[in-house]
Amino acid sequence: MEKPLACIEISSGSIKFLLGYILNGQPVVEYTREKKVPGILENGVITDMNRLIKSLEEFKVIEDEKAKMRLNLVQVCLLYPATGLKVYQISKATNVIGEAVEKIDVSNVRAMVEKEQVDSGYTVVNIIPDEFILSDGKRYSNPPIGVKSRTLTMTCKVHVLPTSIAHGYKSALNQAGLRCKNSGVTPYVYSELFKTYQNLPKTYILMDIGAKVTTLSIVGNGSAYKSSFFAKGSDDLTAALSESLDLSHEEAERLKTSYGYDCRETLYCPPLTSQGNGKINQKALNSAIESWNEGYNIFLKNAMEQLVSGYGNKLDACPIILVGGGAALNGIEKLLQLSLSKHPLLKPSIRTVGGRDPRYMALVGLCLASGIYRGTMEDDRHGVITVSRKETPQEQPKKRRFFGQREEEDVL
C-alpha cells in the first residue's frame, strides 16, 4: 500500500478534508470530513483570512470517536481553484552531472522551469512533466533515473494562478501551522482522475458548477489547457428559488436538493411544500428553475465563447463533463441541454474504493495526482501524519502508522 496523503479543498462554503492512498493505480479513500465555513471566498479570493485560518487549525488534530481514529497533520496536499488559470508549455534542458541521470539532474531541470518568466501578477503553482528526453532521443514519461545520458530535457506544462489566490491559500495554510506538500488545480486533478475512467473521452470541456462560481476548462488529450469562469453557482439558484417561490432559504435548498428539475409528465402533481404562496408542486418548481436558468445561460454562453475563442469550430460539438456540487441537481442535463444542445453532456459518478460521496471527487483526483511519481514534485520531507486507532474493550491493542520514514510516537 502506498503512503496515505492528506488533501484539503477550500471552497466558498466549506473546507473539505480527505485522507487516501493509491492502490494499483487507483485511489482509495480512508477518511473524509467537512467543515462548513460560508462566505470565506469570493471568486476564488479569500475574503476572511482570520476565520479561514482558525478553521484550518481545527484540521491539525482530527479525532473521530466513531472511526476510532486520531490524525496529527503536519503537511497536506492543497487543491487550488481554476480561477484565472493559465497554462504554459515549456521545454528545458540541462547537462547530466554524472554518467547517468540522477534525482539532482531532475531537480536542476525543474529549477530552470521554475525560473521561467510568467505574466506579471501570476505565480507558478504546479509543474506537470509530459516527458523526459535523453541525448540519444529516447523519451520517458517518468524520470529515467539511472539511464546513461549526456543531457536531460524536460517538456512540461506549467500551471499559474493570480498571485493573490496562490499566495493567499498557502499563507492561510502556513499561518494555521500546516505545510503544503503538493498542490493541484481543479481541472488538472479532475483530468487525472478521469484518465482512469475508460468510458470517458480524452478531450472535453470540464464544467465545474460550484456554490458561487462556475468554471469551464478545456481538457485536450487528458491535459488541462485553458479556463474561464463566471460568478454564478448553485447557491444563487437556492436564493432565486427562495425569492420567487416565497420560501425560507432552508426550504428552497431542500426542494432543490430533493426534487430538482423534473419534467416527467404525470397525472398527479402533489404539493412539495406548504410554504410560499399557495402549495408549490413540481411544475411550479420547474418554472422557477427555468426562469433562473435564463439569466445563468447568458453568463454561460459568454464564458463558453471566451473559452473556445481561437479554436475555430473544433470544439463546437465537444463533450461536456459536469462536476461540482451544482452538477448534483436532478435534471441538470436536460436544463443545460436547452443552451448546450450541440454538446453531449456527461455526468460521471465517483467510483472510488472507500468513498462514494461526489462532493469529494476533486479531492480524490488530487490524491491520485499527488500520488503519481513524476520526479521531484514532492517535498523531500516525509513523516507527515501519525494515525492511531482508539481501542475498544472488545479489541486487542492495535495501532497503525500510515506513513513516514522517520520514527514517530503513536498518538493515543
Side-chain angles (χ1 to χ4, degrees):
M1 183 182 75
E2 298 289 340
K3 55 188 179 183
L5 295 163
C7 304
I8 279 184
E9 175 184 6
I10 302 169
S11 65
S12 58
S14 68
I15 299 173
K16 298 184 185 71
F17 171 83
L18 179 145
L19 181 70
Y21 58 91
I22 309 304
L23 182 64
N24 297 326
Q26 297 294 324
V28 178
V29 176
E30 182 75 17
Y31 182 78
T32 58
R33 172 175 286 193
E34 180 178 18
K35 176 177 175 59
K36 297 291 185 180
V37 194
I40 55 174
L41 297 180
E42 184 174 347
N43 295 338
V45 179
I46 298 169
T47 55
D48 194 337
M49 179 65 81
N50 290 334
R51 191 154 62 100
L52 175 58
I53 292 170
K54 289 180 180 179
S55 299
L56 286 170
E57 287 175 343
E58 297 180 21
F59 287 85
K60 291 178 64 177
V61 178
I62 298 177
E63 294 190 73
D64 191 310
E65 293 291 341
K66 185 177 180 180
K68 295 175 289 184
M69 177 183 286
R70 178 184 172 98
L71 308 179
N72 278 358
L73 300 185
V74 177
Q75 58 186 17
V76 298
C77 301
L78 176 63
L79 182 64
Y80 283 112
T83 309
L85 171 67
K86 293 185 178 182
V87 181
Y88 295 86
Q89 185 80 31
I90 295 177
S91 181
K92 290 293 181 181
T94 185
N95 292 322
V96 174
I97 294 176
E99 292 185 356
V101 177
E102 301 295 341
K103 285 187 176 181
I104 189 172
D105 300 307
V106 181
S107 298
N108 288 342
V109 74
R110 183 175 186 269
M112 295 172 67
V113 173
E114 289 176 339
K115 293 177 182 178
E116 191 74 7
Q117 290 293 323
V118 298
D119 288 355
S120 176
Y122 281 77
T123 297
V124 175
V125 295
N126 216 346
I127 298 173
I128 313 298
D130 290 323
E131 61 179 359
F132 297 87
I133 308 171
L134 302 185
S135 54
D136 60 4
K138 291 183 178 179
R139 299 167 183 266
Y140 298 81
S141 57
N142 287 315
I145 304 298
V147 180
K148 292 184 177 181
S149 180
R150 297 187 305 277
T151 62
L152 176 68
T153 301
M154 181 173 74
T155 300
C156 60
K157 292 181 179 65
V158 178
H159 296 165
V160 303
L161 289 175
T163 300
S164 59
I165 293 177
H167 285 184
Y169 277 57
K170 276 200 174 180
S171 176
L173 276 186
N174 292 337
Q175 292 184 64
L178 296 168
R179 274 200 315 267
C180 182
K181 175 182 175 63
N182 205 347
S183 63
V185 183
T186 304
Y188 162 65
V189 302
Y190 272 120
S191 68
E192 289 296 314
L193 177 62
F194 291 152
K195 285 178 184 177
T196 67
Y197 287 46
Q198 296 183 358
N199 62 330
L200 291 181
K202 299 299 181 184
T203 296
Y204 51 89
I205 294 173
L206 184 75
M207 184 171 178
D208 186 356
I209 308 173
K212 295 287 187 181
V213 175
T214 297
T215 306
L216 302 171
S217 305
I218 296 174
V219 177
N221 197 25
S223 296
Y225 280 93
K226 184 182 179 182
S227 291
S228 64
F229 73 96
F230 57 96
K232 293 290 180 182
S234 60
D235 280 3
D236 298 289
L237 174 56
T238 302
L241 295 178
S242 175
E243 181 178 356
S244 63
L245 298 176
D246 192 22
L247 300 173
S248 67
H249 185 275
E250 293 75 18
E251 186 67 359
E253 179 69 21
R254 185 187 73 82
L255 293 188
K256 182 189 77 173
T257 303
S258 301
Y259 300 99
Y261 185 69
D262 189 349
C263 291
R264 291 176 298 177
E265 291 292 337
T266 59
L267 295 176
Y268 180 56
C269 196
L272 306 178
T273 178
S274 58
Q275 285 191 25
N277 297 322
K279 294 183 178 179
I280 299 168
N281 57 24
Q282 185 65 59
K283 288 183 179 180
L285 180 60
N286 288 346
S287 179
I289 293 176
E290 288 173 356
S291 296
W292 174 82
N293 187 57
E294 290 178 4
Y296 181 83
N297 185 49
I298 295 173
F299 290 93
L300 175 58
K301 283 185 174 180
N302 290 338
M304 184 68 77
E305 289 175 2
Q306 177 186 345
L307 181 72
V308 302
S309 62
Y311 289 88
N313 59 357
K314 294 180 181 179
L315 300 175
D316 283 355
C318 183
I320 294 178
I321 294 182
L322 304 174
V323 297
L329 178 73
N330 179 45
I332 185 69
E333 298 97 323
K334 289 186 177 181
L335 189 66
L336 293 176
Q337 200 70 62
L338 299 175
S339 56
L340 301 172
S341 57
K342 294 182 179 180
H343 301 270
L345 299 179
L346 308 172
K347 191 167 71 170
S349 60
I350 189 169
R351 307 173 184 175
T352 310
V353 176
R356 298 291 181 178
D357 191 333
R359 294 177 302 160
Y360 294 93
M361 184 180 283
L363 285 179
V364 171
L366 176 62
C367 178
L368 179 64
S370 299
I372 298 173
Y373 177 69
R374 293 287 182 85
T376 56
M377 300 297 106
E378 292 186 354
D379 191 349
D380 289 333
R381 292 164 293 191
H382 300 281
V384 184
I385 304 174
T386 299
V387 181
S388 66
R389 299 283 188 180
K390 290 191 175 182
E391 303 168 16
T392 64
Q394 295 79 22
E395 292 180 325
Q396 294 295 324
K398 180 175 67 174
K399 303 184 182 68
R400 278 198 281 176
R401 180 181 292 110
F402 275 136
F403 64 105
Q405 293 183 351
R406 68 168 184 261
E407 284 295 316
E408 295 184 338
E409 295 180 0
D410 286 316
V411 182
L412 299 177

